Amino acid sequence: MEALQKQYAELLASQRFREEDLDSAVLARHIAALSTSPLLAGSAVSIFDLHRCEHAYESDFHRALFSDPQGVYTGVQIHPDDLLPVAKNGVAGMRHVFLRKNPNRDVRHFKLIREYRALVHDAYKRVTEEFQILEMDRAGNVWLVLSIVNLSANQQQPYKVTSQLIDTRTGDSFSPLDDLFDRENILTPREREILQRIAQGVRARRSPMNCTSASIRSTPTGSGSLRNLESTTRSKRSSTLGSSEFSMPDY
């Protein structure tokens, strides 16, 4: 855990904020919209300020959901058995967003969805939490992050922490612990599947007797064809990170 805390601190320190680039009116506008949204009335909503490293907003429902039976709120208490995997996936997710090794990914479209157990009214319940970027400053630093927590529909054992990083623009999803997500020359699972099907179709036409044989990845010829197809596809893919301004989502 100490190593994770060090990585967390280093990732936060990697961003360089300037006060003049942060408009408090923007934060106030988000708070007003979130606090009055009927769609979020039954969700635990919060905004985390990465410049000040503190919660800038926690909804009344958020504080009520995670309060003890006496109504005292001290923050979200994660189950001790879930704390390490939650921290590990959280730091990994931050690394993907902050380091941005893959220029073909626009972090403004990222969403981190995870499930873990938290103390709800003196009993541990599985919750689903969604993170997404709410605001970036002019320099491209991630400033405000939105968190929406709901009780999970699945409260059955086994209790396992799950975490997925989703590109809402493409629909692709990855485990935050998957380093392939950061590689510029890696294809998405959907693209690889399409290329495999194309390559399998080529093989089927050339050798009908082998159309139901092993996967294309298991043959040297097939692997070579797939690499050529991947190279062609990569050369056609290009994307740039647009304006650093992030439009406010629909609440």
Side-chain angles (χ1 to χ4, degrees), residues 161-188:
V161 173
T162 61
S163 187
Q164 284 292 110
L165 196 61
I166 298 174
D167 186 331
T168 59
R169 181 181 56 179
T170 64
D172 298 319
S173 63
F174 303 81
S175 164
L177 299 177
D178 185 0
D179 289 335
L180 297 181
F181 184 69
D182 277 333
R183 295 185 185 177
E184 180 179 358
N185 62 348
I186 200 69
L187 296 179
T188 67

Side-chain angles (χ1 to χ4, degrees), residues 15-249:
Q15 298 199 122
R16 297 289 187 268
F17 290 99
R18 299 190 312 169
E19 288 286 350
E20 55 267 32
D21 291 337
L22 308 178
D23 187 352
S24 59
V26 172
L27 173 58
R29 187 168 64 247
H30 282 303
I31 292 175
L34 290 167
S35 61
T36 57
S37 171
L39 298 176
L40 297 174
S43 298
V45 181
S46 63
I47 298 175
F48 193 80
D49 184 333
L50 286 167
H51 168 49
R52 302 188 182 281
C53 295
E54 64 183 20
H55 281 98
Y57 168 73
E58 290 173 314
S59 68
D60 292 338
F61 188 87
H62 183 284
R63 300 178 69 87
L65 184 66
F66 296 112
S67 294
D68 65 19
Q70 287 71 45
V72 178
Y73 172 75
T74 59
V76 179
Q77 307 297 317
I78 298 175
H79 192 287
D81 293 342
D82 293 354
L83 189 57
L84 182 58
V86 166
K88 185 180 296 185
N89 280 277
V91 169
M94 289 176 62
R95 188 175 68 244
H96 287 297
V97 173
F98 285 16
L99 301 185
R100 304 178 201 173
K101 295 179 181 179
N102 187 344
N104 292 325
R105 295 286 182 186
D106 186 340
V107 297
R108 295 172 301 171
H109 298 285
F110 283 6
K111 180 181 288 188
L112 178 65
I113 302 178
R114 61 188 188 183
E115 281 200 345
Y116 56 88
R117 287 171 293 171
L119 199 59
V120 177
H121 302 313
D122 213 29
Y124 283 106
K125 300 287 185 179
R126 181 178 289 172
V127 298
T128 301
E129 182 172 25
E130 298 185 19
F131 284 106
Q132 68 182 81
I133 297 173
L134 197 57
E135 284 290 339
M136 301 174 74
D137 69 7
R138 297 176 182 176
N141 295 307
V142 179
W143 174 28
L144 302 176
V145 176
L146 173 66
S147 166
I148 301 176
V149 182
N150 289 288
L151 287 174
S152 172
N154 179 18
Q155 297 294 335
Q156 303 299 316
Q157 296 185 14
Y159 299 123
K160 182 181 178 181
V161 173
T162 61
S163 187
Q164 284 292 110
L165 196 61
I166 298 174
D167 186 331
T168 59
R169 181 181 56 179
T170 64
D172 298 319
S173 63
F174 303 81
S175 164
L177 299 177
D178 185 0
D179 289 335
L180 297 181
F181 184 69
D182 277 333
R183 295 185 185 177
E184 180 179 358
N185 62 348
I186 200 69
L187 296 179
T188 67
R190 185 174 63 228
E191 290 168 330
R192 289 198 296 269
E193 180 183 359
I194 292 173
L195 292 176
Q196 286 178 14
R197 290 179 179 177
I198 293 173
Q200 286 172 340
V202 171
R203 289 178 59 215
R205 288 194 295 273
R206 291 180 178 177
S207 180
M209 295 181 63
N210 294 329
C211 63
T212 59
S213 60
S215 167
I216 186 172
R217 292 192 178 189
S218 64
T219 61
T221 303
S223 298
S225 300
L226 181 58
R227 282 195 296 270
N228 291 336
L229 287 166
E230 289 178 340
S231 177
T232 301
T233 302
R234 284 197 300 269
S235 66
K236 295 180 180 180
R237 297 175 61 197
S238 64
S239 176
T240 58
L241 184 67
S243 168
S244 62
E245 294 181 358
F246 186 74
S247 59
M248 186 170 67

